[in-house]
Each structure stands twice: as structure tokens, then as C-alpha cells.
Amino acid sequence: MSYQVLARKYRPRDFSTLVGQEHVVRALTHALSENRLHHAYLFTGTRGVGKTTLARILAKALNCVGPDGKGGITATPCNVCEPCTAIDAGRFVDYIEMDAASNRGVDEMVQLLERAMYAPSSARFKVYMIDEVHQLSPHAFNAMLKTLEEPPEYVKFILATTDPQKVPVTVLSRCLQFNLKQMTPSAIAGHMTEVLSAERIEAEPPALRALAHAARGSMRDGLSLLDQAIAYAGGTITLDAVRAMLGAIDQGTLIKLLDAIAARDAAQFLAIADQMNERSASFAQAMRDLASLLHRVALIQQVPNAADDEVDADELRRLASTFAADELQLFYQIALHGRNEMHLAPDEYAGFTMALMRMLAFAPAETPPVRAATASRPAAPAGGTTAPARRPRADVQDAAVQPPPSVPAGEIAPFDGDWTGLVAQLKVSGLVRELAQRSELISHEGDRLKLRVPLKTLLDAGALQKLQAAVSDAVGRPIRLAAEVGNTTGPTSAGIADQARAERQRQAEESIYADPFVRELIENFGAQVDPASIRPRSSSERDGSERNDSDTEKTP
């Protein structure tokens, strides 16, 4: 007997064995049990999630006669009567499967509808299953509308498509639509475990999880990969064998890459990339896996309990404390773009390494002094117990929980309270610059400064700690910052800048209205000046204009 692939051998034969589509099974089971049957069903969903399988089970439920030949419509087909076994074998004359990709014209549709007018030869219902229905031509859709709306009572239509957006609304409105969900990796891995148990083949659970993730939500793809893994491993399916088969990169290599990026060590991650190249690893898959790792690390930053079920939980928590939230978001975007642009690169190695170098090039410059300090526990005091870390209030953040940078020795004048003047000297950008410019100094005592900020989001992603480091560098000694959220009433750099812009705008408008030519147009011709078109010149434009005027005066 010839070998039968796992996807066909273990195709579900009834609703109870269908995996991952409980919402559809529940609706169809109730409809069959109560005999509330629609004449047309539309199953939508990506490839390999069970559309055709569900259509065959529904056809069996409609035509099952039971082991004794006296049964009726049922939600639990027996799988032993002639209609059930014939439908499973693909030889039931009153169950017709049609591929719309190769039979998409109006002539094929007319022939199908003409045959539909005849009563079933040996079944309760004549069931037509049209797969990839969205590929029918517009004329074919128009030809089927009337029959689809009012078919003979013994005819049922089951339509399936991976792209419901291309199905005309006139067809959608005539069908009961069920959207089949993508399979979760855990569901795919669980089904693989049952299949391997029946096949008496051993496998490592991490290997099955890797195959399930590679299936991308498709049970059929997962079982096809399992077939391939069985042939590749030649025995027990191991994680190393699956990674080699898929060209995947192990988690440890990806963690080393992120450590090299955190250390700003380009030579280190290039050495890792060279090792991957020697092993003929798939750099496209590696970039996809790196984006997945960044997503998991960012998730753990926001939801620490998300790491509880991870194999490398400690490493993921360490990475979560190593990177700032805005860095992870930036690196994730770069990884996605790098993956999408891989085909444009000279080769995959160049595309992969360039994406990593882009992460270094665009990494925030104002990083905290000891980035990974939060990953290690503080040393225990003499009493033998570790003091609990002080948690800042929800509305007040204290940057002093981070160690201040080292500063040179020497006498330096204390902070004089000119916060806006100090902000102008800071070399910061992005969210940290926004925080500095919009914050108001409400108190200062020695080297302890307290700020008020108008928005809590300005304190996200460790911005206050980064601002503290920048202020300490600017004044030449450790400065401790604390912040509370509230409405600012005093001077801020952003407010002063807004006032300056408003004053320049007012002067520009006065200059325009004072121009004799403009006044003549207004007075004699009823012209109007569009205020939105008046913009003051920037400082660079003014400086350039003054230099040009000076040059002109010096020219004989």
C-alpha cells in the first residue's frame, strides 16, 4: 500500500476531531440538531485551517443514514454508512467538489446549475462544494445568483475562499458566513503530538513547538512539515534536527546578537553573522526570529508575568531590563523593514548585517550609564538580608533609583535654579528632549531637583533616568531628578520657545502690513492678506540675509 501523507491520513472525520474551530462547530452542531438548515454556507480563512474538511463533515452530517440505514440528519455522522464512507473516499455521486480556480467561467457554472435541477440519485441532499470561489468570473457569479438564493430544497451549496473581499456582496448576502481562525501554535503542536503517538514516533516537545511556529497558523502546513521532519530525522525528532531542516537559528544565538547590540559591539555581531553564514543559516528566517524575540522582550517589559511559560525566562527578563522600551520599538521596526527588504539586498548576509548596523546607527545616544544594572540583585547588607527596592509612586518618578554617573573631582558651583538655561545646554533628543523642554522646575535643594511634567507619557521608556544622566554630564556632578505629573504654571523651555515664536510671528505680520506696496493693494484694490501665509524667517535665513546685505554694501 502506498504511503499516505499525514495531512490526509489524519484528516478529521467528524466535528469532535476538528481542531481549533470550536465557534464554527458549535453553530453547525446546533443547526443540525435543531434541523435549522440554511441552503448556502460560506467558509473563509487562510490555507490549511479546515475549510474543505469542514465541508465534507457537513455533507456527511446532511446525508448520514446511520449504521442501520435508518438514521436522519445528525451532528454526529457515523462514518460507517455508505454515504459517509463514500464522501470520505471522494466517490459519492451527490457530493460534488469544484475548483473555481480551474472552472471559473460562466459555461462551467451554467452546466453545474443545470445538473443541480435534478434530484439526488441516492442521497438526502445534493451538496455542491465550490473551493476558492472568489476566482469565479463576474459572469459566473451573476449566473449563480438566482439559484444560490432559491435553490431546490434538496440542494445545498458550500462555498470556500481564502479571500472573501473578492466575493461580491450579492453572493455574501445569500450565504451564512463562517470565518475559520488561524491555528494557534499550541493547537498545532498538540495535534502533532497525537499524530506522532498514533505513528509511534518520538519527538522532543521543543521540536514540535518550532514546527508549529513555522506552520504560520496552518494545520496542513504543520503536518507537511512534520512529514518532512520525520524523513529528515530518521528516528526521534529533535530540536537540532528541526532547526537544521528549517534553517532556523537557535534562541541563544539571537540573544547573543541582542547582547552585542546592547554593548554597541559591531565586531561581535558580525562575528556571529559570519558563523551563521558558515552554517548556511537562513538570514531571512533569522530576521523573522529576531523580530519575534524583540516582540517577546517588549511584551515582558509591559507584562512581566508573560515570561513565566518561556524556556529562557531568565534571559528574556535580563534583556527586558537591558533595553529601554523605545529602543525595542525601534529595533523591532528595523527588523521588520530589514526582513521585507531582504530581497533587495545584494545577498541575504548583506541585508541581515546592514539591518543590525542600522540598529546601532539609530540607537538613542542618551543611554543610561549602567544599562544592565537592574538585571543583577543588589549586594546584601551586613545583616544578611537584602533591602527591598523602593517602588516610586504612580504619579511621582524618582530618577535616583539609577546610579549616578562618575564625575571628575573639583569644586563646582551649585545649581542656580535656571532650569530653562540648563535645558538649552543639554545634548538630548527625542522623548528626553521633549521631557526636558516641557518640564517645570518646582523645587531644588542642592543637587536634588523636582520637576512637574504635563503628561505622564513623557516619563515613559526611562526618559527621566536619561534626562538625569544628561543633566549630570552638563553640570559636571551627580544630579538627582524626581518628577510628578500635573499642569505646569511656571516657565518651561517649550513655553518660552512658543512665546518667542509668537513674537516673531507678530513682528512678521506687522512688517507685512507696514509695507507700502501691501498697504496700497489693500486700500485701493480691496486685497486681503492670508495670515496663514506669513511665516517669520528662521535665524539661519536672517543671518544669511544680513551677510548678503553686508557683502552688497562692500561691493563697489
Side-chain angles (χ1 to χ4, degrees):
M1 182 178 179
S2 62
Y3 176 73
Q4 192 174 26
V5 298
L6 298 178
R8 294 184 59 190
K9 184 176 181 180
Y10 293 96
R11 182 193 291 269
R13 302 176 64 199
D14 50 46
F15 291 124
S16 63
T17 56
L18 193 67
V19 179
Q21 307 299 342
E22 290 78 9
H23 63 299
V24 179
V25 169
R26 180 178 179 180
L28 292 178
T29 299
H30 289 170
L32 290 165
S33 300
E34 299 174 6
N35 202 21
R36 300 178 63 88
L37 302 175
H38 203 271
H39 58 269
Y41 299 85
L42 174 64
F43 297 146
T44 67
T46 188
R47 79 272 177 263
V49 295
K51 297 185 296 297
T52 303
T53 297
L54 197 57
R56 292 182 180 180
I57 296 174
L58 180 57
K60 289 193 294 183
L62 292 171
N63 289 304
C64 178
V65 296
D68 58 358
K70 299 180 181 180
I73 298 172
T74 177
T76 56
C78 68
N79 290 316
V80 296
C81 66
E82 173 59 23
C84 287
T85 56
I87 290 174
D88 283 335
R91 53 180 172 78
F92 193 60
V93 68
D94 290 315
Y95 175 68
I96 301 96
E97 287 188 2
M98 179 179 124
D99 179 19
S102 55
N103 299 278
R104 61 188 307 269
V106 64
D107 293 336
E108 291 87 349
M109 182 55 62
V110 169
Q111 292 176 9
L112 182 148
L113 297 176
E114 288 177 348
R115 293 196 300 270
M117 295 299 104
Y118 297 99
S121 59
S122 60
R124 191 177 295 116
F125 293 99
K126 181 178 285 188
V127 181
Y128 288 92
M129 193 277 181
I130 306 177
D131 198 11
E132 298 300 340
V133 69
H134 67 274
Q135 297 201 36
L136 288 177
S137 67
H139 293 300
F141 274 123
N142 292 333
M144 71 182 296
L145 285 180
K146 184 60 178 177
T147 305
L148 187 64
E149 183 176 13
E150 298 178 0
E153 59 181 9
Y154 47 79
V155 172
K156 301 294 182 186
F157 286 99
I158 302 176
L159 314 181
T161 177
T162 55
D163 194 353
Q165 303 299 325
K166 294 182 179 179
V167 179
V169 293
T170 51
V171 174
L172 295 177
S173 65
R174 289 166 166 80
C175 302
L176 284 186
Q177 183 172 346
F178 296 94
N179 183 27
L180 277 65
K181 299 182 294 186
Q182 282 192 317
M183 303 291 180
T184 62
S186 59
I188 297 176
H191 188 58
M192 287 180 178
T193 302
E194 296 178 0
V195 169
L196 291 177
S197 177
E199 292 287 315
R200 297 182 180 179
I201 298 175
E202 295 183 356
E204 297 178 354
L208 297 185
R209 287 198 295 270
L211 290 173
H213 281 284
R216 308 295 174 193
S218 170
M219 184 66 77
R220 183 173 62 235
D221 288 3
L223 293 178
S224 297
L225 288 171
L226 185 60
D227 257 324
Q228 184 179 351
I230 293 173
Y232 186 90
T236 301
I237 301 175
T238 63
L239 180 59
D240 290 339
V242 169
R243 282 174 173 165
M245 183 191 80
L246 297 176
I249 306 300
D250 63 277
Q251 184 91 336
T253 300
L254 297 176
I255 291 175
K256 290 178 182 178
L257 281 174
L258 289 185
D259 284 336
I261 293 172
R264 305 296 188 258
D265 190 345
Q268 176 64 20
F269 70 62
L270 287 176
I272 296 173
D274 289 339
Q275 295 173 5
M276 294 165 55
N277 198 31
E278 291 174 359
R279 299 196 303 267
S280 300
S282 169
F283 286 105
Q285 181 64 37
M287 188 61 72
R288 184 182 295 111
D289 293 341
L290 182 60
S292 177
L293 177 59
L294 289 167
H295 164 258
R296 291 157 60 199
V297 174
L299 186 63
I300 291 170
Q301 277 190 340
Q302 304 299 326
V303 186
N305 293 337
D308 292 347
D309 297 331
E310 297 284 354
V311 176
D312 301 319
D314 293 338
E315 289 293 324
L316 295 178
R317 290 192 182 97
R318 180 180 63 79
L319 290 173
S321 64
T322 298
F323 292 100
D326 56 346
E327 282 184 297
L328 288 176
Q329 295 295 327
L330 174 66
F331 295 161
Y332 180 76
Q333 289 293 329
I334 291 175
L336 292 184
H337 285 292
R339 170 191 166 192
N340 293 334
E341 296 171 358
M342 192 74 74
H343 66 285
L344 300 175
D347 53 66
E348 285 197 352
Y349 174 85
F352 183 76
T353 53
M354 184 60 75
L356 297 180
M357 287 187 283
R358 194 179 303 163
M359 293 180 185
L360 290 191
F362 289 96
E366 64 281 358
T367 50
V370 186
R371 176 179 290 278
T374 56
S376 58
R377 292 183 178 273
T385 60
T386 303
R390 178 169 61 88
R391 185 182 181 88
R393 286 167 44 198
D395 59 340
V396 177
Q397 292 195 22
D398 190 350
V401 297
Q402 295 288 345
S406 58
V407 294
E411 292 294 331
I412 302 175
F415 175 61
D416 60 2
D418 184 9
W419 173 248
T420 56
L422 177 59
V423 169
Q425 304 174 27
L426 300 180
K427 297 179 180 180
V428 294
S429 61
L431 182 61
V432 181
R433 180 177 180 82
E434 193 74 9
L435 170 61
Q437 291 183 337
R438 294 192 177 277
S439 60
E440 171 193 4
L441 180 66
I442 56 177
S443 68
H444 70 94
E445 181 179 351
D447 291 333
R448 295 176 179 270
L449 283 62
K450 187 172 183 179
L451 308 176
R452 180 182 291 129
V453 296
L455 298 172
K456 188 177 181 180
T457 53
L458 293 174
L459 300 174
D460 290 347
L464 187 63
Q465 288 81 9
K466 296 178 182 179
L467 178 59
Q468 175 180 277
V471 171
S472 300
D473 290 340
V475 302
R477 65 180 179 281
I479 295 293
R480 292 187 175 183
L481 297 183
E484 67 177 28
V485 180
N487 294 327
T488 57
T489 58
T492 64
S493 295
I496 294 174
D498 290 341
Q499 292 176 2
R501 283 193 295 270
E503 178 60 23
R504 290 198 303 271
Q505 180 67 25
R506 185 189 62 80
Q507 293 177 358
E509 292 178 3
E510 289 182 354
S511 175
I512 291 294
Y513 282 103
D515 185 273
F517 179 71
V518 175
R519 287 204 314 271
E520 181 179 355
L521 291 176
I522 294 175
E523 295 172 357
N524 297 335
F525 298 97
Q528 294 181 345
V529 178
D530 182 8
S533 66
I534 303 175
R535 293 185 178 87
R537 291 185 296 177
S538 65
S539 58
S540 60
E541 291 174 334
R542 293 195 300 271
D543 293 343
S545 177
E546 291 172 1
R547 286 194 298 270
N548 292 337
D549 292 344
S550 176
D551 293 342
T552 302
E553 292 174 0
K554 292 179 182 179
T555 302

